[in-house]
Amino acid sequence: MRTENHSPGQAARPARRALDQDALRRAVVRPGGLWRDIEVVGVTGSTNADLLARAADGAPEGVVLAAEEQSAGRGRMGRAWVSPPCAALTFSVLLRPLPVPPARRGWITLLAGVAAASAVRAVTAVGARLKWPNDVLVGDAKLAGILAEAAADAVVVGIGVNVSTEPDELPPPGPGPAGPLAATSLVAEGWASPDRDLLLAAVLGELEHWYLAWRRAGGDPGRCGLAEQYARLCATPGRLVRVELPGGQLIEGVAAGIDPAGRLLVRVADGELPVAAGDVVHVR
């Protein structure tokens, strides 16, 4: 059943309809495909936490969980992900990339970014780009974030995309020594008829395509074309960047590229430093 959300003083805002679980199942679940089921819930703490718990109980690969609202949504480095009900796409997928060596599973976050940016560009014509490792940008503003979490042989990937979030509902730029990043949404970028069902189906279609190709290639991003597609979409290589590492250390240098393990290569005074995790700011 589809519903509309109305709040006092927001009559001019686009109607926000709930995701259509049955229509999404018809669109993405098929024999022989990656996706086994898609479930839509009204409110949960975190779709990532929910699927990690299901993975521990033996849930199979290919389960998708979407929530209209998350009360404890998480981003990288413990940050909160907050959005009004039905204004964003907030969902997680459960993967079990057993044929891929652990050293190459860092590409899962980058793969999810390719899927999200490609779907946004195809469905909305908004020129989304990627910022290593887990942000989808429009210009210099953040449109979407990605969080991959591993447990045993399972990887849960959470994606949050601001769809109909209005400027006054977007979070302010975040604090931190790595620097702030303003937020944006697809409506703010000109998508006049936001259809979250269409966009979610497109993201899942792109994710299925790239994940299966990458898995068949044993995690080799070059052999399956993933590295080339990521290079087309990513705005980070060639830029002067400032990186806040997980321990709080800051480094600055030119982003030289992405290595076979999915790490960012930063050119510093004494060579190229591979960075496996960190917050990146495009300095120029």
Side-chain angles (χ1 to χ4, degrees):
M1 179 178 178
R2 298 175 74 90
T3 61
E4 297 185 4
N5 289 350
H6 299 281
S7 299
Q10 296 182 343
R13 289 177 174 164
R16 290 173 176 165
R17 295 180 171 85
L19 292 167
D20 189 328
Q21 177 177 276
D22 293 337
L24 285 165
R25 284 174 173 166
R26 291 192 297 269
V28 304
V29 178
R30 56 184 176 80
L34 173 63
W35 307 120
R36 292 172 177 261
D37 189 28
I38 179 165
E39 179 183 354
V40 178
V41 298
V43 182
T44 190
S46 161
T47 55
N48 261 32
D50 292 347
L51 282 194
L52 285 168
R54 294 189 194 184
D57 289 338
E61 178 175 71
V63 175
V64 182
L65 177 64
E68 300 294 8
E69 184 179 7
Q70 293 189 105
S71 60
R74 292 171 291 133
R76 283 177 53 80
M77 303 181 80
R79 297 187 181 95
W81 176 276
V82 179
S83 180
C86 299
L89 281 180
T90 51
F91 67 98
S92 300
V93 302
L94 171 57
L95 306 173
R96 294 188 183 272
L98 294 176
V100 176
R104 290 196 166 174
R105 294 181 189 175
W107 270 93
I108 290 179
T109 298
L110 311 190
L111 186 157
V114 166
S118 298
V120 165
R121 294 169 76 95
V123 171
T124 75
V126 171
R129 299 291 302 278
L130 298 172
K131 179 168 72 69
W132 186 93
N134 68 321
D135 290 331
V136 181
L137 306 181
V138 180
D140 292 324
K142 181 172 178 175
L143 175 71
I146 297 161
L147 178 65
E149 299 180 278
D153 67 348
V155 179
V156 171
V157 183
I159 300 178
V161 184
N162 293 321
V163 178
S164 65
T165 324
E166 295 287 342
D168 65 319
E169 298 174 305
L170 291 166
L181 190 62
T184 189
S185 71
L186 290 169
V187 163
E189 297 298 330
W191 193 25
S193 303
D195 184 333
R196 292 186 307 138
D197 290 308
L198 181 64
L199 182 59
L200 179 52
V203 175
L204 292 174
E206 290 282 347
L207 187 53
E208 178 178 36
H209 167 76
W210 287 110
Y211 175 73
L212 293 180
W214 172 78
R215 193 177 66 181
R216 285 192 298 267
D220 185 334
R223 188 150 61 92
C224 66
L226 176 61
E228 182 179 1
Q229 184 68 0
Y230 187 81
R232 287 195 192 104
L233 291 170
C234 189
T236 301
R239 301 282 293 267
L240 179 64
V241 297
R242 184 167 63 248
V243 185
E244 180 188 0
L245 301 178
Q249 178 186 359
L250 287 175
I251 61 171
E252 189 169 300
V254 175
I258 311 298
D259 76 2
R263 299 177 300 182
L264 180 68
L265 300 175
V266 180
R267 191 177 298 122
V268 293
D270 54 352
E272 289 184 352
L273 177 67
V275 176
D279 276 4
V280 172
V281 171
H282 291 167
V283 179
R284 66 171 186 265

